[in-house]
Each structure stands twice: as structure tokens, then as C-alpha cells.
Amino acid sequence: MSDSLLPYAVGAAKRARRAAVRMRRRVEQLHTVPAIGGGIRPSAQLRPVHFSISSGRTLNLAVAVPGRRVASAVLVLSHGTSRERVPLELEPQADGSVLLTATVPLRYKDSPEPAGRGPVLGSGIWRLAVMITDEDGQTRRTTLAAAAGRDLSDGPTLPYSPSPTSGATFRLVRSVDGFALLKVRAPRPHAELTSFDLRWDRVTVHGRLIGTAPALPAGTAEAVLRRGNHKAVTITPSWQDDRFTFDVPLDRMGGGRGPARTWDLYLRLGGTRLRIARKLTDVRHPKQVYRTPFRIVALDDGALMRVHAHVTAAGALAVNCADVIAAHPSTEEVA
């Protein structure tokens, strides 16, 4: 390497190291919250054998209690003055210890979810504690230590995803002094794509509103041309509570012979426009998983259109369409 280029190489290496440090600190901040000890010496901690949230809303806990004659145990979640209790199952082990386990769905407080079992949690940081009652009737309170960090940067699924029922996010985090905590975030408003039907004469979209409720079932859908003049075609969906359904207006989305045109689908509520997308999933690469075929669709006017309704890499719904055979004037004789 020329001596004149050496300073540039050294500078590039320093900038790369600084960028790596910033990235590492950012990742740590995403999974770490301030200390909760408050200057008080923390009580004894139990380190979970397994602690996770699966499918966006299912809490899975397994913690071993050595050398105790446990009669019952309860997981207590607390936030401010709110308390939620989850009974723990007792599983005696061969070494004399007891494994305390729970698998329970989490529900968001401000969401119209149907009644069922599981704690109802609001937004914020929830502390976790285990109340253990032994056979003598004495109850001890222990805290949960944070589990060791794992590399969750790769794999087919995301480490955390929104709840498929409410859209809220339940995420396990740790405090800087080593406690396990549960962070709850309110659902973000969006139009969730639940499914779409590919038929020989139409494409039907099904979805529901998340994080917001329509004041009136008067929201409209829009197909917006991705390039060119960004032409928009309006559709009136049918509504049932927070769920909507509409047929993609393919007869108004053609452009004559030429390359395929790409349209993005939106839901408009007043002055707010929401992208129709599949977000309530833990799939890391939606485009690779939700694969759909191309379809030749016959329109009412006799035209044939090559259509590809698909999910993009970001999970959004898009429709590619190109005219194959244009509509011909009717040749029927007029009586």
C-alpha cells in the first residue's frame, strides 16, 4: 500500500470500529431498561431454565427451585398499582428440586379481545416476581434474573412479533442490574392483511383494522400506481365491525399493451392512509414465504389480464397486472 493512502485506510478502520460500537450499544439499549433496585438490596433471584414469548403473545416460563418443599407458586406481574397473577405448575424433578412452569396467553388491556384466561396487561414495563408457598405455609418472594442473551439476528422467524389478536407487542427485556422484565407496547395503527383470494375472474382482499376503530364503516380502499403519474383507483369495501373486504378493481388498472404495472393497496380513513400489509407475523422474510402464482383473469368486458397479487419483502400487498387480450366491441346483432 502506498504511504499516501495509509492515512485514509487508518481513518476508515477507525470509523468502522466506531460504527460497530454504536451498533452494539444500540442493540443493548433495545433489550435493556434502567435499574429497578432503587438503592435497595434486591431479594434472592431465580434464574429461569427457559423464558420466552412465542407467537407474539404466549408467555413460556420454566424455573427450577432447589431443595424446597413447595406447596404452590404464583408468578406476579406488577406495573404501578396494577397486579396480575399467573399460577405456576409444579413438576418434581429427580434431583429433589421442583420445576415451576407456565404457558399462558397475554392479553392487551385496551384491546377488544374476547374474554379468556391469561393476564391483561397495559403499556409499560412490568416487573416479575415469583411467590413461593412451602408446605409449612410460609410464603417467600423471589425475583427473576434475566436470561443470558442470545444471538437472534438470523433465522426464519423474528425474536419478537406483535400479538396476532391485538397487535400489541410483548417483549422480554432486562434491567441493567440483572432483573427480567416484560415490556408492553400498544398496537400501532395499520390495516392488517388477513388473506386474499386469487380467482379466475377477480382478486378479493380481506383485512382488519389494528390499533384504531373506524368511527363509521365508511373507509375506502385505494390502489395507487407505484410509478409514473401515481394514479389512484378508489374502491368501497364492505365492512363488518373492524374487518373489511373488497375486490381489486382490475378493470380500471389496465394500461394497454406494454410492461406490467405495479399497484400498491391502501386503506383510507378520513385524512389517514394506511398501507394494507401483513405485520402480525413473526416471519422474517414474508416475500419468500407467502408466495403466490401468476393468474390469467377474465374481466367482465371480455379482456384477459395477467395478474400477480403478492406480498412484498416488507409484508405489504401489491398487485402487478398487464393486459393480455383487450376487450372487443360486441358483435351481437341489434334486433
Side-chain angles (χ1 to χ4, degrees):
M1 179 182 295
S2 173
D3 293 342
S4 61
L5 297 178
L6 184 60
Y8 296 99
V10 173
K14 290 181 177 179
R15 289 191 295 271
R17 284 195 297 269
R18 288 196 295 266
V21 170
R22 288 195 300 268
M23 181 62 68
R24 184 175 66 252
R25 289 176 178 174
R26 177 58 178 163
V27 172
E28 292 174 351
Q29 290 171 358
L30 289 174
H31 299 278
T32 307
V33 297
I36 65 171
I40 302 175
R41 185 176 182 180
S43 56
Q45 296 187 50
L46 294 174
R47 186 169 297 278
V49 176
H50 177 81
F51 200 13
S52 67
I53 293 179
S54 58
S55 302
R57 66 186 295 259
T58 303
L59 178 68
N60 307 288
L61 173 66
V63 58
V65 180
R68 286 184 179 173
R69 300 168 62 191
V70 180
S72 63
V74 175
L75 175 67
V76 180
L77 301 92
S78 60
H79 174 67
T81 59
S82 300
R83 297 289 186 277
E84 293 288 334
R85 300 168 66 88
V86 176
L88 298 177
E89 299 288 337
L90 277 60
E91 300 181 10
Q93 303 298 298
D95 59 0
S97 64
V98 176
L99 190 66
L100 309 178
T101 64
T103 299
V104 62
L106 302 175
R107 295 181 291 156
Y108 186 66
K109 180 178 181 181
D110 298 324
S111 177
E113 294 189 70
R117 72 185 188 96
V120 181
L121 309 177
S123 300
I125 303 294
W126 289 75
R127 302 186 183 192
L128 307 173
V130 177
M131 305 294 292
I132 299 175
T133 302
D134 59 27
E135 295 179 354
D136 296 331
Q138 296 183 348
T139 300
R140 299 180 176 85
R141 178 184 182 275
T142 60
T143 57
L144 285 177
R150 296 177 296 163
D151 183 11
L152 302 175
S153 59
D154 200 3
T157 58
L158 298 169
Y160 297 101
S161 60
S163 166
T165 57
S166 66
T169 301
F170 303 96
R171 185 160 62 94
L172 297 176
V173 296
R174 66 182 300 276
S175 65
V176 296
D177 48 354
F179 290 94
L181 304 169
L182 178 63
K183 184 177 182 179
V184 183
R185 190 186 68 189
R188 295 180 176 178
H190 77 277
E192 175 69 11
L193 172 68
T194 57
S195 65
F196 59 91
D197 303 326
L198 299 176
R199 302 178 181 177
W200 297 111
D201 62 344
R202 74 193 69 181
V203 176
T204 304
V205 177
H206 306 274
R208 66 186 179 108
L209 284 175
I210 299 296
T212 181
L216 293 172
T220 59
E222 292 182 353
V224 180
L225 188 61
R226 183 175 296 178
R227 295 179 181 177
N229 57 6
H230 298 285
K231 173 185 176 183
V233 177
T234 303
I235 316 106
T236 301
S238 60
W239 286 89
Q240 184 176 4
D241 298 326
D242 61 347
R243 296 182 177 270
F244 58 89
T245 303
F246 64 88
D247 291 335
V248 178
L250 299 174
D251 56 338
R252 291 182 284 163
M253 295 165 59
R257 294 298 180 89
R261 313 174 91 193
T262 301
W263 299 77
D264 297 314
L265 280 297
Y266 295 87
L267 190 69
R268 181 177 289 278
L269 299 173
T272 303
R273 192 172 73 172
L274 304 174
R275 185 75 180 268
I276 299 177
R278 180 162 289 179
K279 296 183 178 180
L280 304 187
T281 176
D282 61 354
V283 174
R284 188 182 294 273
H285 304 293
K287 186 176 181 179
Q288 299 178 13
V289 175
Y290 305 120
R291 303 176 69 89
T292 55
F294 288 82
R295 181 67 55 87
I296 301 297
V297 176
L299 304 182
D300 291 340
D301 59 4
L304 295 181
M305 179 178 288
R306 186 172 186 263
V307 176
H308 185 209
H310 63 281
V311 174
T312 68
L317 176 62
V319 177
N320 292 353
C321 54
D323 293 332
V324 176
I325 299 177
H328 294 285
S330 175
T331 58
E332 296 181 359
E333 296 184 359
V334 179

